[in-house]
Structure formats: C-alpha cells, structure tokens
Amino acid sequence: MKILIIEDEQALSKSIATYLAAENYTCEVAADCKTALDRIETFEYDCILLDISLPDGNGLQVLQALKRDHKTEGVIIISARDSIDDRIKGLQLGADDYLTKPFHLSELSARIAAVIRRRRFSGSNTLEVGGLVLDTQARTVKVNDQTVDLTRKEYDLLLYLVTNRNRVISKHAIAEHLSGDGEGLFDNYDFIYAHMKNLKKKLLQAGWQDQIKAVYGMGYKMDVP
C-alpha cells in the first residue's frame, strides 16, 4: 500500500514515514502544495495524509483538486487546527477522516488501515478473489487453505493485481507502485519480471490456476470472474 504524506514539518513527516515503512507501507513525502499537486497528478496512492497549513497555500486546495479530478485516494487530514468548523469543512470537502495533532502514530496507522479497508476492500480485512484468499491485516495469502509464503514485494504485487483485477496495468505503474516514485530507477523492468515470475511460480505450486496474463506491449492483467 502506498501513502503520500503532505506535511511541511520535516521531523514529523520523517517520523510518520519511518513508522509506516515498518508497517509495510511505501511512503512518499511532499512538503508543499505544489509538490503535492504534482505527485497526485502523476501517481496513484492508497491513502493521503494531508496537513492543512502548508508554506505555499492551504492543504484543502489539494483536497479540492483531488475531488475535481475524480481521484479515488482516501484522505486523512492531519492538522493542529482542532475547531469543529475546521473538522466539518475538511470532511465536507471529501476527506475520509480528520486527526488532530499531536497524535499517536499507532492511531494514525489504524485509521489509515480503516480508510483503505473501507475504500479498497469493501470494509473487510479478507479478500477472496479467483481462488485466492488474502488477509490484508495479517498480509497472508492462501490457496486451497494452504498458506503461500511470499516476500513483501511479491505480496504487494499480488495485492495490487487483485485490487485492479480485470484491468490492464502497465509495467510502469507496477514499477512505480512497488518502488515509490522510483525516479531514475527504471532503466528496465527486469525486477518486475523477476517478482512476477516468482509470484506465479509460488501460487501455481500451491495449486492455483494462473489467471495473471501478460498483455503484449502493455503490462499485465488478472482475469477473474
């Protein structure tokens, strides 16, 4: 799962990113509105943490841009502003949650998981798709009641395919999802081929019927009913 932290307090954004990375999230940081708008225009995220007070504007401008562009990312406002008017305005503009600073990182992580669960997985921690059972909280995968031992990247790749099932996903989108913005990392997509090959091999060995297809010149698609 990929998180964008829009926060100008460097120490806070660093501590959030460090904590969430340990929780197996991939994190990117934007310290101002301009950078944030550039990132949400270029990349997709599973959840965005949004500070209101930014050096070049109001974070709610970013929220309005997200909604105007019909982006589907979950948004949690993190702000020192704790008036009821601020909370109502943020939620009315489309934020999924509002957390007042200071907060415990464990609570933030729980709220992120709740937002993603509600928006991506219909409110459940368990996904059953095409003979696969994914527990998104325990980060486990089962085929025919048999647990499949996946690396973090393999699990992230599988979850990305499942949440975008029946859609063609470009290799660039997969690379960007697995590696953050990955600037300068994509001289080739060999690492995707390696992760895909290992993932499919492990699933097939567990008795899964392969439903991940390469789409020539484009990327990959998981075809499931």
Side-chain angles (χ1 to χ4, degrees):
M1 295 286 108
K2 191 173 171 185
I3 310 295
L4 176 62
I5 304 166
I6 305 174
E7 170 61 65
D8 66 323
E9 294 181 41
Q10 188 175 2
L12 178 58
S13 63
K14 184 177 180 180
S15 66
I16 292 173
T18 300
Y19 186 90
L20 294 180
E23 298 274 296
N24 292 313
Y25 291 103
T26 299
C27 296
E28 295 176 12
V29 175
D32 53 57
C33 285
K34 183 180 183 306
T35 304
L37 289 169
D38 287 344
R39 287 195 178 278
I40 63 175
E41 182 179 353
T42 307
F43 304 114
E44 293 183 356
Y45 300 91
D46 295 291
C47 189
I48 293 174
L49 308 181
L50 175 62
D51 188 15
I52 292 178
S53 300
L54 296 170
D56 58 344
N58 190 313
L60 295 181
Q61 296 172 307
V62 178
L63 180 57
Q64 290 174 310
L66 276 167
K67 300 307 173 185
R68 185 173 59 246
D69 295 341
H70 305 292
K71 295 280 192 173
T72 60
E73 285 90 338
V75 177
I76 300 176
I77 292 176
I78 51 173
S79 176
R81 300 184 186 181
D82 61 354
S83 74
I84 188 66
D85 288 343
D86 286 327
R87 290 170 179 265
I88 290 174
K89 185 174 182 180
L91 294 171
Q92 285 180 333
L93 286 174
D96 296 274
D97 200 353
Y98 193 113
L99 187 59
T100 304
K101 300 175 184 175
F103 48 76
H104 289 285
L105 292 174
S106 56
E107 181 182 1
L108 175 64
S109 178
R111 290 183 184 236
I112 291 170
V115 167
I116 293 175
R117 183 170 61 241
R118 188 165 60 245
R119 297 183 68 89
R120 300 289 196 204
F121 311 135
S122 303
S124 174
N125 287 323
T126 302
L127 291 173
E128 297 188 31
V129 176
L132 301 170
V133 180
L134 285 75
D135 185 325
T136 60
Q137 191 168 42
R139 295 176 62 83
T140 60
V141 177
K142 288 187 177 181
V143 175
N144 299 324
D145 290 327
Q146 177 182 341
T147 299
V148 183
D149 186 19
L150 300 179
T151 66
R152 175 183 170 180
K153 292 295 185 186
E154 290 162 3
Y155 176 86
D156 288 344
L157 173 58
L158 179 60
L159 184 58
Y160 191 49
L161 291 166
V162 167
T163 53
N164 290 280
R165 55 191 178 276
N166 299 320
R167 295 175 51 194
V168 176
I169 310 172
S170 71
K171 286 176 282 190
H172 183 85
I174 293 172
E176 184 266 328
H177 182 79
L178 294 180
S179 305
D181 56 16
E183 294 177 1
L185 293 178
F186 305 148
D187 293 334
N188 60 62
Y189 295 114
D190 287 351
F191 77 104
I192 293 180
Y193 304 142
H195 288 313
M196 188 68 74
K197 178 182 177 182
N198 292 334
L199 170 63
K200 293 175 70 168
K201 180 180 179 180
K202 289 180 180 180
L203 294 176
L204 288 169
Q205 287 177 338
W208 188 63
Q209 183 177 356
D210 187 6
Q211 295 163 84
I212 303 172
K213 308 299 181 188
V215 181
Y216 181 74
M218 299 179 69
Y220 292 91
K221 181 180 181 183
M222 174 179 275
D223 276 321
V224 294

